[in-house]
């Protein structure tokens, strides 16, 4: 597929998605009450959705000015007070629907890419900070620990977030926000159930960290006919793993009635293990050695669970496959730093949910563009490998007024903007370094900088005096 066809497909994707945003179904889903969003005001239901998705300024007034300037209706700019009334009417569930619809439209196109005929999907969770007030403490709850015994000890309100992320195509297939004490396991099952229809007839490899290697999750993946690569915990199937004669072999695990009672989230997994109580897992062991800043050598034993065959994927290829899961970690970091997903415009809990969901949706919009550009860079036979700078791409999408093109369904204009982005690939690409190119933390500094910012605009690293020297510390 050439670049012209790609930009045409992408512009069609965004126009189709705009049709969904402005549909009657979304109008109904937006409402908390029947009378909400029934009149055509300066900030109607789809305008509010776009406002949330493309919000990127540091203050509400600046965001309002930018939004109405972008859609060429500055004279209809509403006040901050009017905005606060409007955004409290918006139901957060509408963004869950929109994320699902964007992904469905994307997979129905010819744009999705695959890794050796597989879609790589990664599951992981994180915490999102919510504005602090007593209502949000009750709404999002809190985790009790040695420092927090009751509501009066809570200093920070957080929500447990989780996402199912398409590593090959750079977008969240599903995303959830739950109270802070919520476990990541039921979140993972909810994502697998909700995306079952979207991923139907696709060859899937499910990538997950150490907390997702339970027998119930593996059994559910087996029921869905998904392949998986999951980093194992040392106490998972330890009896069977201890009997291994090599670093790469299959083990057999038998699920008895007592074990079966711990299956709480998947009826399908439970029924499957009743019929076939013994299942096989391919276990791969590796020893990872590294040297710390004191030049001390450390060894860490790693273990991986998979059901991929040796004929299709060698042990080294499975480990390399698992390393691709890191893209979801990068996505969370990008949303928290570049997109400032935790910078909210209201202390209202539902508005905070809208802030977060909308940023995930923007991340998906930019994510599919990022993967297309990266794919173009991969086709170049160069000595060094390059990828697009995601921070610069975010800025470009905001500044070239993608908002106006999407909101008014300007397909040809979107296509031209995508073509122009493709033309400046070399100006926004960065080299991929297999290892860090210089030591950022733990570096000895001769003296403290007298200025706050570096020449590229970023902050200078923090310094800590250790003995008689100054050393950079992790921010």
């Amino acid at each position: 597929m050439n670049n012209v066809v790609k930009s045409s497909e992408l512009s069609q994707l965004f126009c189709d998605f705009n049709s969904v945003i402005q549909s009657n179904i979304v109008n109904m889903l937006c409402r908390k009450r029947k009378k909400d969003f029934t009149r055509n005001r300066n900030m109607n239901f789809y305008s509010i959705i776009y406002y949330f998705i493309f919000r990127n300024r540091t203050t509400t007034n600046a965001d309002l000015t930018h939004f109405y300037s972008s859609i060429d209706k500055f004279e209809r700019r509403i006040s901050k007070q009017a905005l606060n009334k409007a955004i409290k009417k918006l139901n957060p569930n509408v963004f869950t629907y929109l994320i699902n619809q964007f992904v469905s439209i994307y997979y129905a196109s010819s744009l999705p890419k695959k890794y050796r005929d597989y879609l790589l999907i990664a599951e992981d969770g994180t915490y999102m900070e919510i504005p602090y007030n007593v209502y949000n403490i009750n709404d999002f709850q809190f985790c009790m620990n040695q420092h927090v015994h009751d509501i009066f000890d809570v200093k920070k309100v957080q929500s447990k977030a989780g996402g199912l992320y398409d590593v090959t195509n750079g977008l969240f297939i599903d995303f959830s926000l739950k109270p802070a004490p919520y476990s990541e396991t039921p979140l993972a099952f909810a994502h697998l159930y909700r995306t079952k229809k979207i991923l139907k007839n696709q060859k899937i490899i499910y990538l997950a960290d150490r907390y997702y290697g339970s027998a119930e999750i593996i059994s559910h993946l087996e029921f869905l006919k998904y392949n998986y690569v999951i980093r194992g915990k040392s106490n998972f199937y330890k009896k069977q793993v201890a009997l291994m004669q090599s670093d790469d072999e299959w083990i057999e695990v038998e699920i008895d009635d007592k074990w079966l009672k711990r299956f709480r989230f998947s009826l399908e997994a439970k029924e499957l293990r009743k019929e076939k109580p013994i299942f096989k897992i391919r276990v791969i062991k590796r020893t990872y050695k590294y040297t710390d800043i004191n030049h001390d050598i450390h060894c860490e034993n790693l273990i991986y669970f998979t059901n991929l065959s040796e004929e299709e994927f060698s042990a080294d290829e499975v480990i390399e496959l698992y390393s691709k899961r890191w893209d979801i970690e990068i996505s969370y970091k990008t949303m928290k730093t570049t997109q400032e997903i935790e910078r909210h415009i209201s202390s209202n809990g539902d508005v905070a949910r809208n802030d977060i969901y909308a940023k995930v949706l923007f991340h998906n919009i930019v994510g599919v563009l990022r993967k297309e550009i990266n794919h173009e860079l991969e086709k170049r036979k160069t000595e060094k490998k390059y990828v697009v700078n995601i921070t610069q791409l975010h800025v470009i999408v905001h500044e070239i007024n993608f908002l106006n093109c999407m909101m008014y369904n300007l397909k040809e204009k979107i296509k031209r903007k995508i073509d122009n982005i493709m033309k400046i690939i070399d100006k926004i690409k960065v080299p991929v370094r297999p290892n860090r190119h210089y030591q950022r933390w733990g570096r000895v500094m001769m003296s403290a900088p007298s200025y706050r910012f570096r020449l590229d605009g970023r902050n200078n690293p923090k310094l800590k005096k250790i003995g008689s020297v100054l050393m950079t510390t992790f921010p």
Side-chain angles (χ1 to χ4, degrees), residues 86-100:
I87 58 179
K88 290 177 182 177
K89 298 176 183 178
L90 190 64
N91 191 330
N93 291 333
V94 70
F95 283 107
T96 305
Y97 173 78
L98 288 174
I99 291 170
N100 179 279

Side-chain angles (χ1 to χ4, degrees), residues 30 32-33 36-37 41 43 48 52 60 64 78-91 345-346 348 351 354:
C30 280
K32 289 185 177 179
R33 301 172 300 175
D36 291 337
F37 303 117
R41 299 178 179 271
M43 184 64 90
I48 292 180
F52 272 111
T60 302
L64 282 169
I78 63 174
S79 66
K80 180 179 176 180
Q81 291 73 21
L83 176 72
N84 287 334
K85 288 183 180 179
I87 58 179
K88 290 177 182 177
K89 298 176 183 178
L90 190 64
N91 191 330
I345 58 175
S346 171
N348 182 279
V351 175
N354 289 331

